[in-house]
Amino acid sequence: MKKLYALPIFCLLCFSSFSQKHSRQCVYPEDSTFELPADFKKYQTGGKSIVKLPTVVHVIFYDDSQDLPDEYVKDIIHEVNENFRRQTPDTVNTPDAFKPVAADTEIEFELATVDPSNEPTNGITHTKSSLEKIQLSQAPFSSTGGHDAWNTLKYVNIWIVRNPDFLVAGIGISTSPSSHGTPKDGVVIGSFGPYFHKFITHYLGHYLGLKHPFLYDYYDLSPTDTCYTVPGGPDGLEDTPNQLYSTQAGTCPDFPVTDICSPDAPGVMFMNYMDYSGFDCQNMFTQQQDAAMNWVLDSVRFSLFEPVNSVDENDPYKNMEVHIYPNPFREKLIIETQSSSFSKKEYGIFDSMGRPVFTGILDILPNSKNEINTALMPNGVYFLKIRSGHKIITRRIMKLK
C-alpha cells in the first residue's frame, strides 16, 4: 500500500506550477559511439531471473524543509520497480493493439545495503548543499555543492535535486551506457511531484540505453517534416512506432494518435515511458526496449553485478579518471586518461579464455587519448585490465562487427 507523507508546501507548489507549464527538458546524450548489436533481441526476457541493480539515491537540498524522508524515497524506488516490472494498475490502459509487445523487463533497482567502504547503509544519502540554487550538472560533485557518486561501476547513482537553479517540469540529466564508470554516471532529477517515479523511470531508461521514440521535440518544429528512414525509427527499435514529434508534455491524448510517420492506426505509442506524454497515461516498455536494456546490463554495465569491494584510501583508482569508449566498439577502442596523478599504467585486453590479445603502456598525460586499433579482433566479449603498480582494475568490453 502506498504511504502518504506530509511533504513541504514548497514541493506541492512547485509541481502545481510545473503542471501548468507543460514543459519538459530531458538532457540525454544521443551518443553516436553507443550502438546496439544486430542480435540484441535475444536478450528479451522470459523465464530468466529478475535482475536486481544496487542503487543509491542522493537527496540534495539547501533548506531542511526540502529534504525527503527515507520512507518516501523507498516508496519512489518501489514505484519505479513496478513500472519496470509492468505491475502498475494502469497497465489496463495499454491499448489492445500494443499489449502484445508490452514487457515486464524483470529489472529492479534495489537500494544498496553496503556502501563503498563495506559499511551497512540504507542506500540513501542526504546532503545539505552550500548553494541555494544548484545546477543539475553540479549535483554529482561535492566540490560544487552536491554529493560525489558512489562507485559508478558498482552502483546505479540517482541524484534528486530539491533546489535546482530553475524549475521546469521533467528536467533531468541521464548519462548513456558509454559513460559507464565515469564520476558523473547516473541520473539527476530536478523536479518533484505525484508522478516523480515516472520521471525517474524515463531517465533510467536512458541510463540503460533507450532513446526517445520520436525524432523532434513537439516544440522544435522540423522545417522538412522528414520521417526517420533507418529501420527501427529514431530509437532503432521496431516495436516502437516511428514518430516525428514527441507527445506534448503534460497531455494524455485519446487513442489512437497518428502522424505522418505512423499515419495509420494504432499510430504512435504515446503511452510509452520514453515519450513525453502526461504521466497519468504512461504505462509500458516494449519487448525490444526490454531486450535493449538487458543487453546493456549483460555487456556495458556488467560490473553492476560484481560485488562491492572495500576501498583503500591509498588506492590510486579510488577516484580514477579514465574513460573507456566506445563500448561496444568496432574499429577502435579509446582509453582516455584525464589526470596525470597516477604512476605508469599498463593495459591488457584478454579474451574469454584469459588469453592476451593486446598489451601496452598508457600515456598518462592529462586528456591523453590512447587509441587501440581493434579492426582485426574477432567479435565477442573481452576483458580490459589496467594495472598501476600492484593495483588492477578490470572492465568488460564488447567487440561488434
Side-chain angles (χ1 to χ4, degrees):
M1 179 179 295
K2 188 183 298 184
K3 301 184 182 74
L4 297 177
Y5 296 94
L7 294 178
I9 294 177
F10 166 84
C11 157
L12 300 178
L13 290 178
C14 288
F15 185 77
S16 174
S17 65
F18 292 165
S19 314
Q20 297 300 318
K21 290 179 182 178
H22 296 303
S23 58
R24 193 164 173 185
Q25 290 189 7
C26 175
V27 181
Y28 172 70
E30 299 290 352
D31 194 339
S32 60
T33 67
F34 173 71
E35 299 180 61
L36 292 169
D39 64 346
F40 81 94
K41 296 177 188 177
K42 72 181 182 181
Y43 285 85
Q44 287 178 204
T45 54
K48 74 172 185 61
S49 300
I50 296 171
V51 172
K52 294 183 181 289
L53 304 178
T55 301
V56 56
V57 176
H58 307 289
V59 182
I60 312 295
F61 59 95
Y62 177 74
D63 187 275
D64 290 341
S65 66
Q66 299 169 333
D67 197 5
L68 296 178
D70 286 351
E71 291 304 313
Y72 199 96
V73 174
K74 292 175 183 178
D75 278 356
I76 291 171
I77 296 301
H78 174 74
E79 291 173 318
V80 167
N81 288 335
E82 288 185 325
N83 295 337
F84 273 83
R85 295 299 313 281
R86 193 164 169 77
Q87 295 176 344
T88 58
D90 58 2
T91 57
V92 299
N93 298 326
T94 303
D96 290 342
F98 291 137
K99 284 181 178 176
V101 299
D104 168 5
T105 69
E106 298 185 345
I107 296 171
E108 294 184 2
F109 300 86
E110 186 173 58
L111 288 171
T113 58
V114 177
D115 72 10
S117 298
N118 273 345
E119 296 296 329
T121 180
N122 65 355
I124 304 168
T125 71
H126 301 265
T127 299
K128 187 168 184 176
S129 177
S130 58
L131 301 177
E132 184 174 1
K133 298 294 182 183
I134 185 172
Q135 297 179 19
L136 298 192
S137 60
Q138 296 174 308
F141 306 101
S142 59
S143 61
T144 54
H147 191 291
D148 291 337
W150 288 7
N151 187 343
T152 55
L153 291 171
K154 304 296 180 68
Y155 299 91
V156 180
N157 283 259
I158 300 172
W159 289 268
I160 298 177
V161 179
R162 301 285 284 125
N163 56 323
D165 60 338
F166 62 98
L167 301 177
V168 178
I171 185 171
I173 299 174
S174 177
T175 53
S176 78
S178 296
S179 296
H180 185 59
T182 61
K184 63 181 180 181
D185 189 25
V187 168
V188 185
I189 306 293
S191 56
F192 196 81
Y195 293 104
F196 190 53
H197 57 100
K198 292 192 177 181
F199 280 123
I200 297 179
T201 297
H202 178 96
Y203 288 102
L204 285 172
H206 284 319
Y207 173 85
L208 293 176
L210 299 186
K211 298 181 179 181
H212 295 135
F214 52 82
L215 190 56
Y216 300 103
D217 289 344
Y218 65 90
Y219 54 82
D220 182 21
L221 297 180
S222 163
T224 58
D225 284 346
T226 302
C227 298
Y228 207 81
T229 58
V230 175
D235 62 359
L237 306 177
E238 296 172 358
D239 60 1
T240 56
N242 201 345
Q243 184 173 338
L244 185 63
Y245 292 108
S246 65
T247 305
Q248 184 172 349
T251 63
C252 191
D254 294 331
F255 176 81
V257 173
T258 59
D259 70 5
I260 64 172
C261 300
S262 292
D264 302 317
V268 302
M269 191 179 285
F270 61 84
M271 69 293 307
N272 193 280
Y273 288 120
M274 302 311 295
D275 198 358
Y276 279 2
S277 59
F279 294 114
D280 54 341
C281 65
Q282 290 186 0
N283 56 52
M284 66 175 292
F285 285 118
T286 69
Q287 292 178 6
Q288 289 190 21
Q289 286 176 323
D290 163 22
M293 290 189 286
N294 276 280
W295 177 82
V296 165
L297 288 172
D298 199 57
S299 55
V300 185
R301 296 198 182 278
F302 180 79
S303 65
L304 291 171
F305 302 115
E306 297 173 346
V308 176
N309 296 319
S310 60
V311 176
D312 178 358
E313 290 297 324
N314 298 315
D315 186 348
Y317 293 102
K318 180 185 176 185
N319 296 306
M320 185 176 66
E321 297 181 20
V322 174
H323 190 193
I324 299 166
Y325 63 93
N327 188 17
F329 58 94
R330 296 179 187 275
E331 302 297 318
K332 63 183 178 181
L333 181 70
I334 296 175
I335 305 174
E336 181 176 349
T337 57
Q338 300 168 327
S339 172
S340 60
S341 60
F342 308 113
S343 59
K344 171 184 171 182
K345 288 197 288 290
E346 300 171 302
Y347 77 90
I349 296 178
F350 301 85
D351 65 17
S352 59
M353 301 296 293
R355 295 170 296 200
V357 178
F358 284 106
T359 59
I361 305 296
L362 295 179
D363 184 348
I364 61 173
L365 293 176
N367 301 315
S368 296
K369 292 185 179 181
N370 301 267
E371 186 173 306
I372 304 170
N373 186 344
T374 57
L376 299 181
M377 286 176 58
N379 306 330
V381 175
Y382 295 85
F383 294 91
L384 170 65
K385 294 187 177 183
I386 300 175
R387 183 176 70 180
S388 178
H390 67 284
K391 304 294 184 180
I392 298 177
I393 64 166
T394 302
R395 302 277 182 91
R396 180 177 167 125
I397 56 177
M398 179 175 285
K399 168 73 187 300
L400 301 180
K401 293 181 180 179

